[in-house]
Amino acid sequence: MLKEQLALVEQNIQNACEKSGRKNDDVTLIAVSKTKPVEMLQEAYDLGVRIFGENKVQELTQKYDLLPKDIQWHFIGHLQTNKVKYIVDKVALIHSVDSIKLAETIEKEAEKKDCIARILVEVNVAQEDSKFGMKVEEVLPFVEKISKFSHIKVEGLMTIAPFVENPEENRPIFSKLRQLSVDINDKNIDNVNVSILSMGMTNDYEVAIEEGATFVRVGTGIFGHRDYSKNA
């Protein structure tokens, strides 16, 4: 089942790229593996997947220790400041930076580990009360401030769009995030290159690709529905 579902997602990505006149290489698939057992991640790995997304620190560190070391781990969930030290040198990218306090903690812990933390700024484009992320108008001043940190590299933006029946409803959300990235890049801020747009999940990643997504985060579409009663 996993093999077939992964192949379908990859085909859908290719189709969306063709439809929007983009190259397949422009879009990176993140297999969102939260709550999924190590055996299932290993199966995906054996099928060629090398980029996995997790949203809990403890779960990520457990899987990090058990799975091959050439995996790129992406942290995509809300990150608490007291957990930063456990993952800052283990992840390829933190997608969910949404406050000065968190950025300062990442800077401090990355300096201790002598590494550069690659981050995305999480933007609550839809302004949903239930979601984390900054308001659109807060992002540029925030990026200008943290661009001076020497152990953080701002690589792009991330958003979690509303869950909708019709993915077309999220098109304006993705379009707005893309425009924000253009506006930031136009400022030519030192140490900032907003080249990554992490947007689109199982129900709307094709629309996100058409609007410029460079990373799509697909979990259910690859691994099936989650069972939250079990731990990894």
Side-chain angles (χ1 to χ4, degrees):
M1 183 187 77
L2 196 156
K3 183 179 181 180
E4 288 76 15
Q5 292 186 168
L6 177 62
L8 178 60
V9 169
E10 290 173 337
Q11 185 61 55
N12 289 342
I13 290 172
Q14 186 176 330
N15 293 345
C17 286
E18 288 174 2
K19 184 177 176 182
S20 52
R22 302 177 66 194
K23 293 183 297 215
N24 221 33
D25 292 347
D26 292 345
V27 180
T28 299
L29 172 62
I30 300 172
V32 178
S33 47
K34 59 183 182 181
T35 78
K36 295 301 178 184
V38 166
E39 294 78 16
M40 194 173 271
L41 275 71
Q42 182 67 53
E43 184 182 350
Y45 178 91
D46 293 340
L47 291 167
V49 176
R50 291 295 180 273
I51 302 176
F52 291 89
E54 290 285 338
N55 72 335
K56 293 269 173 41
V57 168
Q58 185 178 3
E59 192 175 341
L60 188 152
T61 55
Q62 287 172 345
K63 290 173 176 175
Y64 179 92
D65 289 337
L66 293 169
L67 286 156
K69 290 296 173 266
D70 62 335
I71 287 175
Q72 264 194 42
W73 295 98
H74 288 229
F75 190 81
I76 60 175
H78 181 61
L79 182 56
Q80 296 169 295
T81 53
N82 64 340
K83 301 282 181 68
V84 170
K85 60 189 173 187
Y86 300 113
I87 63 159
V88 73
D89 59 341
K90 292 181 171 66
V91 297
L93 193 64
I94 299 171
H95 288 234
S96 48
V97 179
D98 63 353
S99 72
I100 286 291
K101 184 182 177 187
L102 178 57
E104 288 172 343
T105 304
I106 293 170
E107 168 70 15
K108 183 177 73 176
E109 295 298 340
E111 184 176 13
K112 284 182 190 173
K113 297 276 176 72
D114 193 26
C115 65
I116 303 293
R118 298 171 62 231
I119 68 160
L120 306 182
V121 179
E122 182 173 359
V123 189
N124 188 352
V125 179
Q127 297 189 5
E128 290 185 282
D129 291 339
S130 60
K131 300 263 174 69
F132 293 102
M134 313 192 82
K135 294 178 180 175
V136 169
E137 62 271 20
E138 295 172 333
V139 175
L140 182 56
F142 174 73
V143 167
E144 287 176 329
K145 185 166 186 178
I146 67 172
S147 69
K148 298 173 176 63
F149 293 179
S150 57
H151 293 81
I152 280 181
K153 178 76 174 163
V154 180
E155 301 258 347
L157 307 173
M158 182 270 253
T159 197
I160 300 173
F163 184 81
V164 290
E165 291 297 321
N166 179 6
E168 284 294 331
E169 292 177 31
N170 282 336
R171 192 177 291 276
I173 304 286
F174 301 138
S175 176
K176 195 167 186 177
L177 193 74
R178 183 175 182 276
Q179 185 57 51
L180 178 60
S181 74
V182 172
D183 294 343
I184 293 170
N185 280 333
D186 283 348
K187 298 288 184 184
N188 290 316
I189 305 165
D190 286 343
N191 197 35
V192 174
N193 176 26
V194 183
S195 59
I196 295 173
L197 288 178
S198 172
M199 58 188 193
M201 301 194 293
T202 292
N203 63 318
D204 57 15
Y205 64 90
E206 291 150 288
V207 171
I209 289 168
E210 290 169 22
E211 292 300 327
T214 62
F215 282 27
V216 292
R217 310 179 305 270
V218 181
T220 304
I222 297 171
F223 296 108
H225 290 283
R226 294 182 189 92
D227 179 359
Y228 286 101
S229 66
K230 295 176 183 175
N231 291 322

